Each structure stands twice: as structure tokens, then as C-alpha cells.
Amino acid sequence: AYAHMKGRVDVVEYLGADTYLYVTPKGHATMIVRVAGTETVQVGDDVALVFEKDFICFFDEDGQAIR
């Protein structure tokens, strides 16, 4: 099953092969999303996220995995 969500990019971290996007969907906490390093995304861009629910990782405020 897939989840769909839209949000605004707050931070972009280019790390070579990967890029981390800090995305804030309306009404939700900021999410960190890993994409290919070749993606051209800028702070302030609105993005649509589509992801498999089975591959989502959640962490608590101490960085411990919840799921």
C-alpha cells in the first residue's frame, strides 16, 4: 500500500549520492526524506511524496526507532 502526501521543502542537504530533504506536510511534523543526489530540489519547493507504508521508519525525540 502506498501513502501520498504533499509538503514544503524546508532544508536540502546534498551529500553526494543522496540528498536529504526536510519536508513539512500541512498538519504534520517535519519528515526527512532521502532522494537521489541528482534531484534538483530547492528550499521552498512544494513536493508530492509517494512512498510504500512498509518502508517508513519512525523515531522518537531521542532518535530511537519506534517502528
Side-chain angles (χ1 to χ4, degrees):
Y2 290 91
H4 302 265
M5 191 172 278
K6 293 181 182 180
R8 178 153 296 167
V9 177
D10 300 316
V11 176
V12 178
E13 288 186 281
Y14 295 103
L15 301 173
D18 295 318
T19 296
Y20 286 90
L21 307 176
Y22 291 67
V23 179
T24 304
K26 284 187 178 182
H28 297 281
T30 299
M31 302 170 68
I32 302 172
V33 181
R34 185 178 72 185
V35 298
T38 55
E39 292 291 332
T40 54
V41 181
Q42 297 179 348
V43 170
D45 285 355
D46 290 319
V47 294
L49 305 173
V50 179
F51 43 89
E52 288 189 56
K53 291 180 181 180
D54 291 341
F55 293 100
I56 300 171
C57 298
F58 294 98
F59 301 88
D60 65 17
E61 55 276 347
D62 296 321
Q64 297 297 311
I66 296 171
R67 184 188 104 166

